[in-house]
Amino acid sequence: MTKIAVLLLLACAAPAAAQQPAAAPRTPAPEPPQAVATRTTQPIHIDGLLNDAAWAAATPITEFRQLDPQEGQPATERTEVRVMYDDGALYVGARLYDRQPVRSRLGRRDMGMSASDWLTVILDSNHDHRTAVGFEVNPAGVRRDQSRAQDGSEDNSWDPVWEAETSVSDSGWVAEIRIPFSQLRFSAAPVQTWGMQVERQIARNQEFSVWSFTPRDQPGGIPRFGHLAGLERIPTGKRLEVLPYAVTRAENVERGANPFREDREYGMDVGVDLKYRLSSNMTLDATVNPDFGQVEVDPAVVNLTAFETQFEERRPFFVEGSEIFRFGGDGTNLAFYSRRIGRPPTLVPNVDAVDVPSTTRILGAMKLSGRTQGGWSIGVLDAVTRREEARFRLPGDTENQSLTAEPLTNFFVGRARRETRAGQTAIGGFVGAVNRDLDTDALNASLRSAAFSGGVDIFHQWAERNWTLTGFLAGSHVRGDQGAIISTQRLPYHYFARPDADHLQLDTSLTSLSGFAGAVRVARQMGRHWNVNGRLNTISPGYEVSDLG
């Protein structure tokens, strides 16, 4: 039996006072502005001073309008932004005047934006009106970067290689930015136009101004970006990049009576990462024994729910191009969760004397991702994780034992999406598969031997993007030993054996389980006084995607 949840939300905002005059008819949004990038052969030094002679040849962007606090009014402070490029990178030079002292904060990369001035440059280098990447810097030189989607969502886990330097004076502050073309994805056309937005935040008066202005009661975002023209014969950079690595480690830790660990331990790892650009917009990534030693650790979390914590993906191999693999991210279904690959081993003996790896080693992985000029977004990923052993000693025993904590596993993901109408319509599909080599009785009783999932999704906008329709339909099929399927039926998000569900029954003879899920949503999001959001969700009891999603 299918469980259906329906949510319908109507929001109405009335005028602040009865005597306030009626709202004026909607004013059409101005046409997106255009800037021209200037090619230079002179060197540009990224030092935050803007004193290189090359900058004099570029025409500055100066027209900025407020979104906050006075929507539509000119920015209170003057801003000049120049864009240049050479064979290797795009350069942005900004002089941000301020008659009052500049406000800034020092922090880590991707810190929050509050209580500081910021300059933001957002590029839709594919010019598909659906995806973009943002580069932000504050007067202290703190950088933020993220990939962005048309719905306004941001992914701060994207960490490209780029440069930014700033300087502060009595008249304001200056920012110089260098963005290598190797960090962007764009077409192979000899003459290109990109989408671009430039934003400025002034903290002292909570002012937020933009170059390409769209009233808040009208659809904005990436499709309303301005245009950056003048980009000609941009080289794609090196087609092949090979990055070998070697890591040594030494630990000097008092480990007490752990019979499997020594107080002093030494180790070494080697591996290689490879990137090959099939075209300027299609990249093949491969890795053997990848090095994730510089990846930030996950925050400590106390989870008191029946559901696992979803951690942010920070590993560079999986972050790049991750937006292409997104499917069914509606809050009830996430078909691909890359943290499954290389997760901590599953079978860990519940004893004090135990030695088990903290993660499952990825033997090798390959990913093909990018977009075609015909409007297709394509992503294919395959990864193999090795068999991990856990050593342990039972209480009162003097002999060591071992078991397989995680089996040899193959993960496969395929994603394709076709976009039309300047990104206002998209139809896509997804397939995923997990296959495990279960060579022990304990593994057969605990883990599913195979898991498959697939589905289709749709995105459609009309009426000048005021109305949006989104939806997906997905199915799943898992296989395994009877014990593994029984455990699956007893998971907290299934609970086939719960007494209050007369329509469900725990079947101890099953060796597979199938299910489906779907959702459709219709929304009017940009009304001045009324917004409408209607949603229909359905999910069957046997739907199971946690092996990959």
Side-chain angles (χ1 to χ4, degrees):
M1 180 177 180
T2 301
K3 180 181 179 181
I4 300 179
V6 180
L7 174 62
L8 182 62
L9 176 62
L10 300 177
C12 176
Q19 68 272 19
Q20 198 171 22
R26 175 185 291 186
T27 302
E31 287 297 316
Q34 179 169 299
V36 177
T38 303
R39 177 181 280 275
T40 180
T41 57
Q42 303 181 55
I44 296 180
H45 302 286
I46 305 301
D47 52 14
L49 298 177
L50 281 183
N51 56 2
D52 296 305
W55 289 115
T59 302
I61 298 169
T62 59
E63 299 296 327
F64 285 78
R65 298 174 70 180
Q66 297 182 49
L67 278 175
D68 290 317
Q70 297 179 311
E71 182 180 340
Q73 296 300 310
T76 60
E77 301 290 348
R78 181 173 174 81
T79 303
E80 297 178 356
V81 178
R82 293 172 169 84
V83 182
M84 305 192 74
Y85 70 101
D86 57 21
D87 286 341
L90 186 77
Y91 299 86
V92 179
R95 192 175 298 276
L96 304 103
Y97 294 93
D98 202 330
R99 289 164 288 183
Q100 299 293 328
V102 170
R103 292 194 179 183
S104 182
R105 294 192 63 183
L106 190 63
R108 304 180 67 181
R109 185 168 180 168
D110 293 335
M111 63 173 277
M113 298 186 67
S114 62
S116 176
D117 296 350
W118 287 91
L119 171 71
T120 302
V121 179
I122 312 172
L123 299 174
D124 175 13
S125 55
N126 286 303
H127 212 211
D128 60 4
H129 307 288
R130 283 182 55 86
T131 57
V133 290
F135 302 87
E136 306 176 68
V137 64
N138 78 351
V142 178
R143 293 179 297 160
R144 289 169 47 90
D145 40 46
Q146 66 284 132
S147 60
R148 302 188 178 211
Q150 185 179 358
D151 60 5
S153 61
E154 300 179 5
D155 185 356
N156 290 324
S157 61
W158 183 67
D159 289 324
V161 178
W162 58 291
E163 302 175 57
E165 294 291 340
T166 60
S167 63
V168 179
S169 66
D170 294 338
S171 61
W173 61 291
V174 170
E176 277 188 303
I177 298 174
R178 181 182 186 272
I179 306 170
F181 289 130
S182 61
Q183 305 302 300
L184 304 173
R185 298 193 177 196
F186 47 88
S187 73
V191 179
Q192 298 190 34
T193 298
W194 293 358
M196 185 177 75
Q197 176 68 290
V198 184
E199 303 170 347
R200 181 181 180 183
Q201 176 174 302
I202 304 177
R204 61 178 169 81
N205 59 358
Q206 298 298 301
E207 179 178 327
F208 185 78
S209 58
V210 297
W211 172 53
S212 181
F213 173 78
T214 302
R216 289 192 179 278
D217 64 348
Q218 299 182 34
I222 299 174
R224 285 285 307 164
F225 279 8
H227 301 293
L228 180 63
L231 299 167
E232 300 180 3
R233 301 182 303 277
I234 303 175
T236 59
K238 299 178 180 178
R239 296 182 66 90
L240 177 64
E241 298 179 15
V242 179
L243 180 63
Y245 81 90
V247 176
T248 60
R249 65 180 182 273
E251 298 181 13
N252 190 356
V253 181
E254 293 186 8
R255 305 187 189 276
N258 191 328
F260 304 106
R261 306 294 299 272
E262 299 178 357
D263 291 346
R264 295 184 177 181
E265 294 184 348
Y266 307 91
M268 180 175 180
D269 275 328
V270 295
V272 63
D273 295 333
L274 180 147
K275 182 187 296 289
Y276 183 72
R277 291 186 176 275
L278 300 175
S279 67
S280 60
N281 222 12
M282 190 72 66
T283 304
L284 175 67
D285 294 279
T287 182
V288 177
N289 191 20
D291 174 25
F292 299 134
Q294 301 300 316
V295 176
E296 296 180 27
V297 298
D298 295 319
V301 176
V302 178
N303 187 346
L304 302 180
T305 73
F307 305 96
E308 68 177 317
T309 300
Q310 179 180 339
F311 290 105
E312 184 180 7
E313 179 60 87
R314 301 176 184 270
R315 299 171 295 179
F317 176 85
F318 296 101
V319 168
E320 184 180 2
S322 60
E323 72 280 356
I324 295 177
F325 292 91
R326 291 173 188 160
F327 175 87
D330 69 325
T332 62
N333 175 67
L334 183 63
F336 177 46
Y337 177 42
S338 58
R339 291 293 296 268
R340 295 289 185 215
I341 304 174
R343 68 180 183 180
T346 305
L347 301 184
V348 179
N350 187 22
V351 295
D352 294 333
V354 62
D355 177 33
V356 62
S358 59
T359 59
T360 302
R361 179 64 61 88
I362 300 175
L363 295 176
M366 180 276 296
K367 179 176 65 177
L368 175 67
S369 60
R371 292 175 171 82
T372 69
Q373 295 185 3
W376 284 94
S377 297
I378 299 173
V380 178
L381 186 149
D382 192 84
V384 178
T385 58
R386 79 176 184 183
R387 183 176 183 267
E388 298 288 358
E389 292 285 333
R391 297 182 298 168
F392 65 97
R393 183 179 295 179
L394 296 174
D397 201 347
T398 59
E399 293 193 7
N400 298 334
Q401 301 185 45
S402 65
L403 59 79
T404 302
E406 189 72 20
L408 180 71
T409 307
N410 185 85
F411 298 85
F412 174 82
V413 182
R415 176 76 161 121
R417 185 176 65 236
R418 177 73 167 89
E419 300 172 357
T420 59
R421 299 177 59 240
Q424 296 185 62
T425 300
I427 300 176
F430 173 91
V431 292
V434 178
N435 289 277
R436 299 186 176 95
D437 181 16
L438 305 181
D439 55 358
T440 67
D441 292 339
L443 290 174
N444 274 299
S446 304
L447 298 176
R448 296 177 283 270
S449 60
F452 306 96
S453 59
V456 295
D457 61 350
I458 185 172
F459 171 90
H460 180 65
Q461 290 184 320
W462 70 97
E464 297 182 345
R465 298 195 299 118
N466 283 288
W467 286 88
T468 301
L469 167 70
T470 59
F472 78 90
L473 180 63
S476 70
H477 178 75
V478 296
R479 301 174 185 171
D481 189 75
Q482 291 180 352
I485 301 302
I486 291 174
S487 298
T488 300
Q489 296 177 77
R490 287 176 171 167
L491 287 171
Y493 48 86
H494 292 299
Y495 276 152
F496 274 73
R498 64 183 187 270
D500 62 312
D502 298 334
H503 60 285
L504 297 179
Q505 182 178 1
L506 180 66
D507 191 339
T508 59
S509 65
L510 293 180
T511 57
S512 65
L513 190 67
S514 300
F516 66 90
V520 61
R521 171 178 173 266
V522 179
R524 181 179 186 269
Q525 301 176 342
M526 302 308 300
R528 182 179 292 273
H529 301 293
W530 290 89
N531 288 335
V532 181
N533 187 344
R535 184 181 191 88
L536 174 68
N537 281 38
T538 178
I539 184 169
S540 71
Y543 186 69
E544 174 60 60
V545 292
S546 63
D547 295 271
L548 188 63

